[in-house]
Amino acid sequence: MKRWLHLLHRWLGIALGLLILLWLLSGLVMLFVARPALQEGERLQALAPLPAAPPPVSAAQAWAALGIAGAPEGLRLQQQLGRPVWLLQEAGKTWHAVDALTGRPRAPLTEAQARALALEHAQRLTQRPGAVAEVELLQRDQWSIYSRFNAQRPLYRVVLADGDEGLELYIGQGSGELVLDTRAWERGWNWLGTVTHWLYFTPLRANGPLWRHVVLWSSGAALALVLLGLVLGLQRLRLRGRYASGSVSPYRERWQRWHHLLGLGAGLVLLSWLFSGWLSMAPWGWPGGERAAVGEQQRWRGGALQPASLSLPDALPAVLRDGVGELAALRFQGQHLWLASAPGGSRLLDMQGQVLPQGLDEARLRTAAASLQPKARVIEAGWLHQPDLHYYALRHQTRAFPVYRVAFDDAAGSVYYLDPRTARVALRVDQAGRWNRWLFNALHRWDFPPLAASVLGRDLVITALSLLGAALSLSGCVLAWRRLQSSRGRRNKRKPS
């Protein structure tokens, strides 16, 4: 039996050793370089300021001009190409643009319009004039393959002639919105980081179910490989009654001995990373979501957006003079709110024209929280001004404070973190989420409470452990190469001359 376990470990190592090494090295890159994404601050900075005068075409008229049944899922007002534009999302589908001066639906952007928009965005992002080197209309590519872009497809990829920075902007053809920006250094490092780590190669990632199965089964097999290695390594370890050589390991050949000892030192860490990474692919429906459920979101909003009831408040002109680049309609407890966003921050406005500089007050948040769990009782509620075990930020994440934290006595032990400035549920945690917090977040990202508070300390620990794991994997790759070369040599000798 032991011989078969050794053979299984050996051939799994030959098949997966290099992949595990790449996972470790790419994970180390990801620690310092996030995948390309348009940060909210960048998005707002790129927007042209809205004119102080409200547009003549209302949100209701814009929605009616599209002739779409039902209610819009999203509704925003932006300034594009020198004109105010209503952006409306059909429920579960794409975004549409309606000219807020004429009330006519705007045709999909032409290449010339995409060029002009990209130049406007680039000048605000880089603070210098630029030129367009290339424009391409595409459905998806390596950096826009994620499902969050589906409602904006097809996309214009506009390459800016900006020297070494290599800025590329992605603009939705239907909405004219800037949805992604990438730079040359991001793209280069992400080939070594996220693309390799998550096997995000476009032909594979475009087929979601196939990609998931490839990652799930390869990480599961790698998990079995490391687990076998730990069991066999412990069996061969002799702390008492050492081998004749005086060593705790039976292996005299250098690479074999190092692989044995490194496996005992780094194997457990590697096992925890592979296990938590495997869990992230949701085997057997493992829960990992942090968003409010659909029913909870509906109760929080109190219904769908109603363009006929959406009017621009009288206080809007004074707010717009502060450089607001976007007005977004929100539904909160059956009422409409406007979120006015500018590079310096966002403000809520109610339909009566009242500006809420600090967002929703405690009384409104507590009343709204009760709608999330109507059959449960609130057991704890209050403002959170600093991170706790679940609501915290890491290197590539941000968290807004303060938030209003509400805990319920339901069977799942649900806890909600409510953002008063955006009137949204920022985070939801239940019993499954608490398991996920420790079995994925803590094991995979090493955001244990002492380390999560220190970016430098966490980075140093993860870097050291990654290099130790890489050394273990490298020694396994060397042994795998030698085994393959040895097998090839034996086959050549058996061939008749």
Side-chain angles (χ1 to χ4, degrees), residues 183-261:
R183 290 165 174 80
W185 66 271
E186 284 182 306
R187 296 190 295 271
W189 280 109
N190 268 270
W191 279 109
L192 302 175
T194 54
V195 176
T196 299
H197 196 78
W198 288 105
L199 305 184
Y200 269 174
F201 303 102
T202 306
L204 176 61
R205 187 61 183 88
N207 186 330
L210 175 62
W211 167 79
R212 179 180 177 273
H213 282 294
V214 168
V215 178
L216 184 67
W217 286 101
S218 60
S219 58
L223 182 63
L225 162 66
V226 176
L227 182 60
L228 268 176
L230 273 172
V231 171
L232 296 173
L234 288 171
Q235 287 180 346
R236 291 292 183 96
L237 180 68
R238 285 190 185 178
L239 297 177
R240 296 180 180 179
R242 297 190 175 191
Y243 292 94
S245 63
S247 173
V248 297
S249 173
Y251 303 105
R252 297 187 178 185
E253 196 278 326
R254 181 180 57 182
W255 284 104
Q256 289 180 327
R257 185 170 66 253
W258 275 113
H259 187 68
H260 183 208
L261 297 178

Side-chain angles (χ1 to χ4, degrees), residues 50-67:
L50 286 165
V57 175
S58 68
Q61 292 170 320
W63 180 246
L66 292 174

Side-chain angles (χ1 to χ4, degrees), residues 27 38 87 96 108 181 214 271 302 331 356 455 474 476 491:
L38 183 68
L87 304 178
H96 305 272
D181 66 339
V214 168
L271 187 71
R331 185 82 168 174
L356 310 174
V455 174
L474 179 61
R491 285 197 303 271

Side-chain angles (χ1 to χ4, degrees), residues 51-175:
V57 175
S58 68
Q61 292 170 320
W63 180 246
L66 292 174
I68 299 174
E73 189 169 317
L75 191 154
R76 300 197 281 262
L77 179 67
Q78 292 183 2
Q79 183 83 352
Q80 295 180 6
L81 299 173
R83 303 176 70 86
V85 178
W86 286 108
L87 304 178
L88 306 106
Q89 185 184 18
E90 187 178 356
K93 298 182 181 179
T94 59
W95 284 88
H96 305 272
V98 176
D99 191 306
L101 295 181
T102 66
R104 290 195 296 268
R106 189 182 67 188
L109 291 182
T110 65
E111 181 177 317
Q113 289 174 318
R115 283 174 175 267
L117 262 178
L119 286 175
E120 290 183 15
H121 293 322
Q123 185 166 2
R124 294 189 187 92
L125 287 171
T126 64
Q127 304 301 312
R128 63 178 183 271
V132 173
E134 179 187 347
V135 180
E136 177 188 11
L137 183 64
L138 50 81
Q139 282 293 331
R140 55 179 52 82
D141 67 359
Q142 185 62 59
W143 314 115
S144 61
I145 199 166
Y146 307 103
S147 59
R148 68 174 180 271
F149 298 118
N150 287 348
Q152 297 283 3
R153 303 187 198 280
L155 306 171
Y156 277 109
R157 181 180 70 93
V158 184
V159 180
L160 279 299
D162 59 351
D164 295 335
E165 189 171 4
L167 179 62
E168 296 183 2
L169 303 179
Y170 291 72
I171 296 172
Q173 187 190 33
S175 69

Side-chain angles (χ1 to χ4, degrees), residues 452-468:
S454 171
V455 174
L456 178 60
R458 176 176 167 272
D459 288 353
L460 289 174
V461 169
I462 293 178
T463 300
L465 292 175
S466 297
L467 293 176
L468 190 63

